[in-house]
Amino acid sequence: MSDSKFTSLLQRLEAVTVRLEGMEKSAPAGSAPAASADDAPPSAMLADYDALLAGEVAAYVELAGKLGAADVEAQAKLVQQAFVAQREMLALVAKCKKPAEMGSIVQPTAEKIAAVQAAVDRRSASFNHLQAMGESIPALGWVMVEKTPAPHVSDMWQCGEFNQQKIVMANKGKDETQVEFAKSIKAIYTALEAFVKAHHRTGLEWNPKGGAVGDAKAA
């Protein structure tokens, strides 16, 4: 990746991180995380996100547990929680009108993104494993990107790809579990980008006939 492109990606990452942090700070104190919607059956959009959780995300968590690195396994569980938090938000998107502000809605996901990044330890023997996910997890900030959210997922993945490729190169032909773990990180973002393109190509698709977010969360 060229220096100019890498710098551009870093600037975009910083912008989305700042925006997510701003949303978190603007949320009312003590506001509760978005409650899961009672989707029975879930919409096609939620069904596809559930498939992502049960497929690529679960596979990544399982492989993290096979590496024998407690810090990688702990971070993987935080990543899973971040995706679950976003699923809860998307359940509200499916049944509610677009709200005037997004602070309390995005806050649970933003908190988990921050936790995943805080788990990166440069002194760890598994630094590349931690950094690959720490650099790419802001891809979940696609919900704050209007008009073209899918490219944001791809851009954030590219930020983590450098460290992910280090894992592959260090273990190829030596430890296939390590290689499969590295591939599982990429698989998550490939699937997430496809999900966004399929259901939210031009931004979050709120339900124009739905109710208010506040009413849904109180139900």
Side-chain angles (χ1 to χ4, degrees), residues 22-87:
M23 287 295 182
E24 178 181 337
K25 292 175 182 178
S26 67
S31 55
S36 296
D38 296 324
D39 302 290
S43 66
M45 182 267 288
L46 290 175
D48 282 353
Y49 200 87
D50 287 342
L52 168 61
L53 283 170
E56 288 81 4
V57 175
Y60 154 75
V61 174
E62 181 179 359
L63 284 164
K66 294 180 179 180
L67 300 182
D71 51 357
V72 176
E73 184 174 8
Q75 188 194 49
K77 291 178 180 178
L78 291 172
V79 170
Q80 187 174 45
Q81 292 169 19
F83 275 84
V84 169
Q86 183 155 97
R87 198 277 184 195

Side-chain angles (χ1 to χ4, degrees), residues 111-196:
E111 289 175 347
K112 293 303 180 182
I113 289 173
V116 170
Q117 294 183 313
V120 177
D121 183 356
R122 290 186 174 276
R123 300 168 297 179
S124 172
S126 302
F127 169 71
N128 285 316
H129 303 63
L130 301 172
Q131 183 75 343
M133 187 55 78
E135 287 288 300
S136 56
I137 193 64
L140 289 179
W142 69 267
V143 296
M144 302 302 298
V145 180
E146 298 180 356
K147 297 184 179 180
T148 55
H152 170 76
V153 177
S154 177
D155 287 350
M156 292 303 100
W157 160 243
Q158 289 181 48
C159 288
E161 188 175 20
F162 174 77
N163 296 95
Q164 182 255 10
Q165 282 298 303
K166 280 192 169 184
I167 302 171
V168 173
M169 290 186 290
N171 293 282
K172 192 172 183 179
K174 302 175 184 177
D175 189 335
E176 284 306 306
T177 301
Q178 291 276 355
V179 174
E180 289 304 310
F181 169 80
K183 289 181 178 178
S184 75
I185 302 176
K186 180 178 181 178
I188 287 176
Y189 296 108
T190 299
L192 179 61
E193 184 179 8
F195 167 82
V196 175

